[in-house]
């Protein structure tokens, strides 16, 4: 008769299990084991819901500072900062005209850390606009919009428009003078197709402008309905849109083979430390996708991991670095400068001058010639032009290189001169000599709508880029010229609107010359 | 149960669609059109049937000392009231026809603080982006008490004797 082992007490098992909880918890969190080897790190990235948008390995070219300057991640970081601070502000903000202004005052003066949080929210939004614009310029000048990334360029334009929409709806909420008159002007720009329908005489039965305004304001005057609508757009509709577009944007980067890089990037990145060996000794001819054999040009077909490093930790360190720098920039700016709050909205008297935040002052300068062309027509033409660029420039040489290799930078420099001089010249001419109405008092409105400094400038840029296409026999040259001119025009008009426009939108060399009242 | 043998199909007859394919397609189309019309219906919600704006009519007393051709702007209102030499009263809206800012009175007429449009005191555009003259508003009343309807415009030059 063999001795029977004493039965294990359940209490003992319980105790042992309790002691093991921290280890079990770690094991269940890291499904592929603790990420401390290249293999487990790859599994970690692959199996983590927050990280899986990354590919498990990243090309060294993508990690070079000069490839992206971290601008895309900085835009995302700025968005995350506005998201967190925005949710915090929602504790106290009340979207109703009678109390909106007071609730912002409370946030500013009464709520602990309220002023700092509001300042960070406002500065992160500004940083986001800047980084999104710079990111767009970076993408353009490195030719990263080209095949197969054309569609992602369009998604990126959607993100730019949504970012500007978020900024606009954001500064409407405090219901101060800036907010009230910005809503008034914004809603009237939406109504400006009437400039055409009135001139043609069909507004009575076809009035898209009036419908736009009615839908935005929810009333025919600027009041509580309008504020609730812009609040809803700001906190719900536009952020959801932005998030959905971002998901597609990032997923496409992944599916289109990571960031754009030159064809010979493998040979040009610095030699990685440690032993490097090719994985495929023969060129692979097929891959398997959803159990069906795929051949062709999918970005990963036939390529080994040469020139790449594991995303964890290399890419994540870089991303974390950019995130921390963005937070630092926003907090520093928030400590230095308070977000403005003007006087309480006064429907009887607009501010003089009534100026939008800096990113819309270029638009305001154009709107001061024609509401419809400046506010809707030219922006639409610009968006269509930018959207068409990747479909017109189908060349492949120079993709992934700044300015597309030799010859690119001189062309961009020349286009900068053309873009700057023509926008300064046309705006200066209109400021010095006036425009059609001053010369011919009873000129039909349609002529003023379609022939104004903004449209003339757009035409000059279009003709210049067509000329470039002919001169260099290259669509890429035309694209470089068009985009550079667009940037220069934006910068010139923004500077004129910011520094050289005073009361009644009159030109002044300095705010010191503004008339005293 | 007996069934009749199917007539042989001529090679010119169209390929019959299988019944379950037909039912599947029909339900897909039904679902799609239901979604489409539901979306159309929901899109109506943001457009109100009745506007929540305040009344557009208001009544003021014209000052006795009002000189002919000199505008009287009731406090908090975007309307300029005039009385001409023969006693005709008229009202010009002071909301800029460009983008809706309230224009400011100057010696020559009106000036818009937002984008620099200028108007004569009768509302005619003299400069800037404004596409139309300032509208004249409907005026009714008796004695020195006049009622202005900001919602109804009248032909420029329409003066009312009160």
């Amino acid at each position: 008769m063999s001795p029977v082992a004493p039965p294990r007490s359940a209490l003992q098992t319980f105790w042992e299990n309790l002691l093991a909880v921290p280890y079990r918890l770690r094991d269940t969190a890291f499904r592929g084991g603790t990420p401390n080897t290249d293999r487990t790190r790859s599994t970690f990235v692959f199996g983590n819901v927050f990280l899986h948008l990354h590919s498990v390995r990243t090309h060294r070219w993508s990690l070079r500072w000069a490839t992206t300057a971290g601008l895309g991640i900085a835009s995302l970081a700025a968005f995350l900062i506005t998201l967190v601070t925005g949710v915090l502000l929602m504790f106290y903000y009340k979207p109703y005209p009678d109390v909106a202004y007071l609730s912002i005052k409370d946030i500013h003066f009464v709520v602990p850390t309220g002023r700092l949080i509001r300042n960070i929210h406002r500065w992160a939004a500004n940083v986001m606009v800047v980084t999104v614009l710079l990111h767009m310029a970076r993408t353009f000048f490195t030719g990263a919009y080209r095949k197969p990334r054309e569609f992602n360029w369009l998604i990126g334009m959607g993100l730019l428009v949504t970012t500007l929409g978020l900024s606009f709806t954001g500064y409407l909420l405090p219901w101060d003078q800036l907010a009230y008159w910005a809503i008034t002007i914004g809603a009237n720009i939406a109504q400006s197709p009437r400039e055409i329908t009135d001139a043609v005489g069909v507004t009575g039965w076809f009035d898209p402008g009036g419908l736009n305004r009615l839908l935005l304001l929810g009333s025919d005057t600027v009041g509580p309905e309008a504020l609730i609508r812009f609040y809803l757009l700001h906190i719900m509709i536009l952020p959801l849109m932005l998030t959905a577009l971002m998901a597609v944007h990032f997923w496409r980067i992944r599916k289109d083979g990571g960031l754009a890089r030159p064809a010979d990037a493998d040979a040009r990145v610095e030699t990685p430390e440690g032993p490097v060996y090719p994985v495929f000794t023969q060129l692979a001819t097929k891959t398997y996708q959803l159990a069906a054999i795929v051949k062709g040009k999918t970005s990963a077909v036939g390529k080994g991991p040469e020139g790449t490093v594991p995303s964890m930790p290399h890419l994540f360190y870089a991303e974390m670095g950019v995130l921390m720098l963005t937070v630092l920039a926003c907090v520093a700016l928030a400590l230095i400068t308070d977000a403005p709050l003007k006087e309480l909205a006064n429907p009887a008297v607009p501010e003089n001058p009534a100026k939008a935040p800096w990113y819309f002052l270029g638009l305001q300068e154009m709107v001061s010639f024609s509401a419809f062309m400046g506010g809707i027509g030219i922006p639409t033409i610009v968006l269509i032009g930018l959207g068409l660029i990747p479909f017109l420039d189908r060349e492949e040489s120079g993709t992934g290189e700044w300015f597309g290799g030799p010859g690119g930078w001189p062309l961009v420099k020349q286009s900068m001169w053309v873009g700057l001089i023509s926008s300064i010249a046309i705006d200066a001419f209109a400021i010095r000599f006036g425009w059609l109405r001053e010369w011919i008092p009873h000129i039909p409105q349609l002529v003023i709508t379609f022939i104004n400094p903004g449209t003339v400038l757009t035409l000059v840029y279009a003709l210049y880029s067509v000329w470039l296409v002919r001169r260099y026999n290259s669509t890429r040259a035309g694209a470089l010229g068009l985009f550079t001119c667009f940037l220069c025009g934006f910068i010139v008009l923004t500077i004129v609107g910011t520094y050289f426009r005073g009361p009644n939108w009159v030109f002044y060399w300095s705010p010191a010359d503004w008339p005293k009242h | 149960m007996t069934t009749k043998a199917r007539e042989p199909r001529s090679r010119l007859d169209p390929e019959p669609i299988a019944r379950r394919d037909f039912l599947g397609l029909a339900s897909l189309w039904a679902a799609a059109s239901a979604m489409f019309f539901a979306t159309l219906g929901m899109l109506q919600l943001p457009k109100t049937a009745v506007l929540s704006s305040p009344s557009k009519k208001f009544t003021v007393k014209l000052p006795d000392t009002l000189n002919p051709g000199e505008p009287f702007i009731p406090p908090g209102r975007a309307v300029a009231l005039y009385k001409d030499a023969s006693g005709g009263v008229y009202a010009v809206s002071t909301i800029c026809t460009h983008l809706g800012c309230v224009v400011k009175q100057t010696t020559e007429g009106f000036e818009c603080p937002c984008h620099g449009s200028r108007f004569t005191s009768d509302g005619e555009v003299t400069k800037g982006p404004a596409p139309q003259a300032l509208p004249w508003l409907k005026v009714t009343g008796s004695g020195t008490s006049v009622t202005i309807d900001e919602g109804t415009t009248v032909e420029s030059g329409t003066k009312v004797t009160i």
Side-chain angles (χ1 to χ4, degrees), chain B residues 22-87:
Chain B
F22 172 79
L23 290 177
L25 274 177
S27 48
L28 268 182
W29 276 104
S33 40
M35 296 276 242
F36 176 74
F37 285 110
T39 313
L40 273 192
M42 279 193 287
L43 281 180
Q44 287 194 327
L45 181 125
K47 191 170 178 289
T48 45
V50 175
L51 295 177
S52 64
S53 52
S55 165
K56 294 191 176 301
K57 285 187 185 175
F58 68 96
T59 305
V60 286
K61 215 169 130 51
L62 281 182
D64 302 331
T65 54
L66 191 63
N67 295 320
E70 180 198 342
F72 165 63
I73 299 175
R77 294 285 174 179
V79 175
L81 291 171
Y82 294 90
K83 198 172 180 180
D84 68 6
S86 54

